[in-house]
Amino acid sequence: MRRPKWSLAMFHFKAKRLVCFLPLVYSFAGTSFADEMVCGKLNGHVIEVQREYIAFWAEYEGKSSWEKGFTDNKKGCGANLVSLPMVMTWPGMKPANHTTYFVQALEFEGLSVTLRPRRVPGTNLRALLEFFLSSTPLEWKGRARFDETLGLFYVSGNHRVFAGDINKYYWLEVDSEIPLVIECLWLAREDRLYTCEASYILKEVEATAIIRFTPDKVKDWKVVIGVVEKFVVGKIRR
């Protein structure tokens, strides 16, 4: 019997997490984790967070996580961050239980927040939206509508990898620029959306925040963005 592609996608996602996690544990064997904080620079701003928030590991400039020796990259408050992945409860914004996070995977009930340095100036994410809709017919894009309740534009679009999967895309448009894009993925077997990922530019640190949450939180997107911004600003070393 042919396995549904959504199931394969979920399987590969969880397997990838496990494959990535085990070598890290092995490479850090015997290493002390007495330091309770993770620290680094995002576009010159020093960010320091409790290690409990870190889902995988902070990635610093140098070798990528896929290369041997990446654990030897310069670390600490003087090192530049490439990626800072965190998981937290919602709405409490406390460190999430990591076992729960790994088990729930893409349907994690809290928030998954990854901070990455912004490589280009400005806050316009129009290019990202166009990338998300790159496999969507032009006539579909013309069906975009504005949701008065959400304050967002939205449209259905083809998945870029799995042909036939129809996802939902939301975006905020201000003065002809798009500072927020949300992609929600469709679970065909259960006829529902099952996970959403918002991309937003945090002006305070000039970084991209990638926030993953369950679809029921789309209606609260302003609150989610506001709380994440407050959380990150509170972690900046002054």
Side-chain angles (χ1 to χ4, degrees), residues 35-40 42 46-55 57-58 60 77 81 83-88 95 113 115 231-237:
D35 180 11
E36 295 180 355
M37 306 298 289
V38 172
C39 190
L42 275 173
V46 177
I47 305 289
E48 190 173 39
V49 299
Q50 293 168 269
R51 188 176 296 276
E52 295 172 279
Y53 280 102
I54 308 302
W57 54 87
Y60 296 87
C77 297
L81 286 161
S83 176
L84 184 64
M86 300 171 285
V87 288
M88 52 207 66
V113 179
L115 301 180
F231 176 87
V232 173
V233 169
K235 303 302 179 183
I236 300 174
R237 269 193 178 186

Side-chain angles (χ1 to χ4, degrees), residues 15-76:
K16 181 179 176 182
R17 283 186 166 181
L18 187 59
V19 168
C20 290
F21 183 68
L22 291 179
L24 182 71
V25 172
Y26 176 78
S27 65
F28 281 161
T31 301
S32 173
F33 285 94
D35 180 11
E36 295 180 355
M37 306 298 289
V38 172
C39 190
K41 287 184 178 179
L42 275 173
N43 290 336
H45 302 276
V46 177
I47 305 289
E48 190 173 39
V49 299
Q50 293 168 269
R51 188 176 296 276
E52 295 172 279
Y53 280 102
I54 308 302
F56 295 97
W57 54 87
E59 188 169 349
Y60 296 87
E61 276 187 350
K63 294 183 177 180
S64 77
S65 302
W66 304 100
E67 297 178 271
K68 183 179 180 181
F70 85 95
T71 55
D72 296 324
N73 289 342
K74 180 182 177 181
K75 305 176 186 66

Side-chain angles (χ1 to χ4, degrees), residues 53 88-96 111 113 224 227-229 231-232:
Y53 280 102
M88 52 207 66
T89 61
W90 178 260
M93 300 297 282
K94 302 296 183 183
L111 298 182
V113 179
V224 171
V227 171
V228 169
E229 280 189 333
F231 176 87
V232 173

Side-chain angles (χ1 to χ4, degrees), residues 5-6 140 157-160 162-167 169 186-188:
K5 56 191 174 185
W6 70 267
W140 286 25
N158 283 330
H159 194 287
R160 300 177 306 285
F162 300 116
D165 282 7
I166 308 299
N167 301 327
Y169 299 90
W186 186 255
L187 186 59

Side-chain angles (χ1 to χ4, degrees), residues 8-221:
L8 285 173
M10 290 292 287
F11 172 78
H12 289 154
F13 176 80
K14 293 181 179 180
K16 181 179 176 182
R17 283 186 166 181
L18 187 59
V19 168
C20 290
F21 183 68
L22 291 179
L24 182 71
V25 172
Y26 176 78
S27 65
F28 281 161
T31 301
S32 173
F33 285 94
D35 180 11
E36 295 180 355
M37 306 298 289
V38 172
C39 190
K41 287 184 178 179
L42 275 173
N43 290 336
H45 302 276
V46 177
I47 305 289
E48 190 173 39
V49 299
Q50 293 168 269
R51 188 176 296 276
E52 295 172 279
Y53 280 102
I54 308 302
F56 295 97
W57 54 87
E59 188 169 349
Y60 296 87
E61 276 187 350
K63 294 183 177 180
S64 77
S65 302
W66 304 100
E67 297 178 271
K68 183 179 180 181
F70 85 95
T71 55
D72 296 324
N73 289 342
K74 180 182 177 181
K75 305 176 186 66
C77 297
N80 292 321
L81 286 161
V82 173
S83 176
L84 184 64
M86 300 171 285
V87 288
M88 52 207 66
T89 61
W90 178 260
M93 300 297 282
K94 302 296 183 183
N97 181 289
H98 287 197
T99 300
T100 300
Y101 172 63
F102 279 94
V103 170
Q104 292 182 342
L106 290 177
E107 296 186 89
F108 175 57
E109 294 174 354
L111 298 182
S112 167
V113 179
T114 300
L115 301 180
R116 293 175 182 160
R118 181 77 169 149
R119 301 300 186 187
V120 296
T123 60
N124 194 359
L125 296 176
R126 185 174 297 277
L128 178 63
L129 178 62
E130 290 175 352
F131 171 70
F132 283 157
L133 297 176
S134 59
S135 297
T136 298
L138 188 61
E139 58 268 29
W140 286 25
K141 298 177 186 179
R143 300 173 189 167
R145 295 291 181 268
F146 184 74
D147 187 310
E148 296 283 352
T149 302
L150 292 177
L152 299 173
F153 290 92
Y154 68 94
V155 73
S156 295
N158 283 330
H159 194 287
R160 300 177 306 285
V161 178
F162 300 116
D165 282 7
I166 308 299
N167 301 327
K168 197 162 188 178
Y169 299 90
Y170 300 88
W171 65 94
L172 176 67
E173 191 157 348
V174 180
D175 297 329
S176 299
E177 292 197 346
I178 297 176
L180 169 74
V181 176
I182 303 175
E183 177 184 46
C184 293
L185 303 183
W186 186 255
L187 186 59
R189 191 191 72 160
E190 297 182 17
D191 196 32
R192 66 179 176 89
L193 298 171
Y194 69 100
T195 186
C196 296
E197 184 176 276
S199 295
Y200 183 77
I201 307 302
L202 296 177
K203 296 179 183 178
E204 187 75 22
V205 291
E206 302 170 81
T208 301
I210 300 170
I211 311 168
R212 185 171 290 279
F213 46 80
T214 48
D216 60 290
K217 296 182 181 67
V218 170
K219 67 181 185 302
D220 301 316
W221 69 269

